Amino acid sequence: MFPSSPPEPTASAHNAPLRDVWYLAAGSEAVTPGRVVAKTMLGEPILLGRDKEGRAFALRDICPHRGYPLSTGPFDGREVTCPYHGWRFDTAGLCTAIPAVVEEQQPGPGKIKVRSYPVREQQGNIWVFFGEDETLAPAIPVIAGLPDDARPKLREVVILEGGIDDAVVGLMDPAHGPYIHRSWFWRTGRATRVKEKQFEPSPWGFTMTRHKPSQSRAYLVLGGSPTTEITFRLPCIRWEHIMAGDHVMCHFTTLTPISGNRTEITHSIYWTQPWLTPLTPLLRPFVKTFLKQDCDAMTTQQIGLAHAPPLLLLGDPDAQARWYHRLKLEFERAKAEGRPFANPVKPRVLKWRT
Ligand code: FES
Ligand SMILES: [Fe+2]
């Protein structure tokens, strides 16, 4: 429970992204050795790169000299050269050369630096840390049953015109299925029925405990008797972990705040069933359709949200959305009070009609 008179949270304003957390920057495959890519995250210009040895790195994409975007310059696998006056920076952001300045006027090694961001790479994803204190950050989830160098077999990235909170709530909302995802491959036309699911708190989030999935034809292709578990973790990661026989499939969905009203959704699917891999080109259109349905709904929603109406989070179908807001608020409060994060979610059965 929250203390009776909590201090005002500092940054839980609607759609303000959490800081002191890791965000997915890109799939590992998007940044090849010796290359850099430019990306905006949390409104900040980021240069994402990978050195010759294969280590990923992230720098602020602004030359400290006169503001030129460093990502537009050449990268030799060790140093980025600013195209404007040729200043060079290593992958830690240290300025290593200022060609126009004569010897006696050189500022000296290590004096000039462009901001570098902590980077981690795990199971085919590159994560960038935004904030000051990495020890506060929710752990990057490790997908059980897959090695550290696992790569998703299928990945789709879409940009949503909406803020991070609206996107998270849209992502975890169990009630829009029959309205938004009307597809032959996912739902039949049958009437809705009551679903009852057990939820438990889990690190920095909550988990719909392992159960037999009932409603969907999409699980049938896996064979065996699949069971599934769905977890949400701050700042904005949701993954469905399916076990079928000896095999694992995981739908790993992450949201990355691009700017105040743009959010990137990355849907990555991992599986260990070898026979599923040749079907990837067939699966992709279904994943695209499914994501587009979510994306279109949330984009249309923005027409109403532009008027900043008060919103209702009603009953069990919206309980996960309420938990998200509580988790986010608790993360901010724990930080402000200098105490450990205390998960506000309690074990509960949620019921809804879908
Ligand atoms: S702006 Fe980058 S070197 Fe001058
Ligand atoms: Fe959806």
Side-chain angles (χ1 to χ4, degrees), residues 240-264:
E240 174 170 12
H241 190 269
I242 304 161
M243 297 201 301
D246 295 335
H247 288 287
V248 169
M249 179 184 235
C250 182
H251 293 263
F252 194 79
T253 314
T254 56
L255 301 179
T256 304
I258 300 300
S259 61
N261 55 1
R262 299 194 95 196
T263 303
E264 188 173 74

Side-chain angles (χ1 to χ4, degrees), residues 170-173 176-177 180-181 290-291 293-295 298:
L171 181 74
M172 61 175 46
D173 168 25
H176 70 263
I180 295 302
H181 300 297
F290 197 81
L291 270 180
Q293 288 166 338
D294 279 319
C295 215
M298 288 190 259

